[in-house]
Amino acid sequence: MSVPAADAAGRTKLGFGNLLTNDIVDGAADRWRTGSYASSRVWGPTWTGAAPSGFGDLLELRFNGEIITPENLRFPAPGDRHYAGALSLGLHTHMQRGAMEYAIGGDLVFVGPQTGLDSFQTELHDLLNVSEPSDRVLDAQIGNAIRPTLVVEMGRPIRMGAQSTLRPFVEGRAGVETLARVGFDWTFGSLGQGELLVRDPVAGQRYRVITQDWTGYSFTVGADFAYVDSSVFLPDDQGPALDNTRERVRVGVMWQGESGLSSFAGITYLGEEFEGQDEGQFVGSIKVRLGF
């Protein structure tokens, strides 16, 4: 990637990345963590293959949107989770000090009908001629709230060979969901090395934001385990009780061609999130970037 010189303010746009996640791979109708979209734009003075050491030198503007539903959009079973929509906008900084990588920032998360995501899903399903959320489901959805959320991730890439990197990490979130997480990502292949990757909050897949001129494939495997203290999406006074443990297991493949066209596809298993949820679910994530 050719990075332009910094502007007079000392920053220039260094990259953009996004990821779309949906439960369509699960073989069932929309349910639970049914759909989300993550998007990141990054500014900084330059990119040399690693984040700078200074706090605030490299800034990421992060946008996320998510729809959560009960298993049945028309007639939810007693004890199923309630419908919820969430939109967030945040500012994060990325740093590297020694062998450690840090991502620290905050998001302002808007929850409930105020997001308009219930209307968006209804209109989209009407257009696709599939079942829409019933009035019963929407009337019982999680109410309006605005939750500031702090997010901190620390990871350490460990080279396991010329074409293999293991990256254990820990993460903490406090706000719309308050949790502590530990896990790893293992990448096989050179694509992704010397680049900035950002973690999608739902699937845990990492998507490329600052890229290099690699060509070829890389494969990723990852897993993590979280202790969840609280969640706006599973409140104590509405719906089923929160399950305090949460697991994710994921695989993915990145590809980039000579023309700059690139893509990512991944599948993630999400473990149970609430008491009474009888199984986990699979979600698929995809990103396509055109070469112009």
Side-chain angles (χ1 to χ4, degrees):
M1 173 182 168
S2 176
V3 177
D7 59 22
R11 298 185 191 280
T12 189
K13 184 177 178 182
L14 299 178
F16 166 79
N18 58 355
L19 194 70
L20 179 66
T21 298
N22 194 273
D23 67 342
I24 192 171
V25 301
D26 207 26
D30 294 64
R31 61 175 187 165
W32 304 325
R33 295 277 183 165
T34 183
S36 65
Y37 176 75
S39 173
S40 299
R41 291 166 175 80
V42 175
W43 288 267
T46 188
W47 180 257
T48 61
S53 60
F55 182 89
D57 289 346
L58 190 69
L59 294 176
E60 174 204 351
L61 182 65
R62 184 179 299 179
F63 169 81
N64 290 307
E66 181 181 8
I67 295 174
I68 300 172
T69 70
E71 187 172 11
N72 189 310
L73 279 175
R74 302 296 300 172
F75 307 103
D80 204 348
R81 75 183 305 163
H82 289 232
Y83 188 101
L87 291 174
S88 69
L89 186 66
L91 188 65
H92 300 252
T93 185
H94 296 264
M95 305 178 295
Q96 181 163 340
R97 295 183 177 180
M100 296 295 297
E101 297 175 341
Y102 301 85
I104 303 170
D107 300 295
L108 195 60
V109 185
F110 298 82
V111 179
Q114 65 184 335
T115 65
L117 289 173
D118 51 355
S119 299
F120 170 78
Q121 187 181 34
T122 298
E123 294 174 4
L124 179 62
H125 281 209
D126 182 58
L127 179 65
L128 299 175
N129 196 28
V130 295
S131 294
E132 307 165 6
S134 66
D135 290 341
R136 174 185 173 187
V137 167
L138 296 182
D139 289 344
Q141 69 179 292
I142 303 299
N144 288 337
I146 302 175
R147 292 298 178 93
T149 298
L150 174 68
V151 184
V152 177
E153 179 177 325
M154 297 181 291
R156 180 178 179 178
I158 303 171
R159 294 295 295 270
M160 307 297 289
Q163 298 289 315
S164 176
T165 303
L166 176 66
R167 185 181 184 272
F169 73 93
V170 294
E171 179 190 43
R173 291 177 173 267
V176 69
E177 292 197 299
T178 298
L179 58 84
R181 175 176 282 133
V182 59
F184 73 91
D185 300 282
W186 203 334
T187 302
F188 303 88
S190 57
L191 196 63
Q193 294 183 16
E195 301 183 336
L196 179 67
L197 285 80
V198 171
R199 189 175 307 281
D200 170 69
V202 176
Q205 300 280 6
R206 300 175 75 216
Y207 56 94
R208 302 164 67 205
V209 179
I210 299 180
T211 61
Q212 302 282 9
D213 294 328
W214 300 105
T215 59
Y217 292 87
S218 281
F219 300 90
T220 62
V221 177
D224 53 60
F225 175 85
Y227 174 81
V228 186
D229 180 71
S230 64
S231 172
V232 170
F233 307 127
L234 292 162
D236 294 336
D237 60 350
Q238 185 179 1
L242 170 73
D243 190 332
N244 290 117
T245 60
R246 191 176 294 178
E247 310 83 30
R248 302 186 299 197
V249 180
R250 54 191 170 270
V251 296
V253 58
M254 297 181 280
W255 170 82
Q256 184 163 302
E258 295 284 352
S259 64
L261 176 67
S262 64
S263 63
F264 171 85
I267 295 177
T268 303
Y269 171 78
L270 304 176
E272 295 89 344
E273 296 189 2
F274 60 91
E275 299 295 336
Q277 186 177 358
D278 57 358
E279 62 180 348
Q281 68 179 125
F282 288 92
V283 295
S285 301
I286 189 170
K287 172 188 176 180
V288 176
R289 178 180 178 182
L290 301 177
F292 55 84

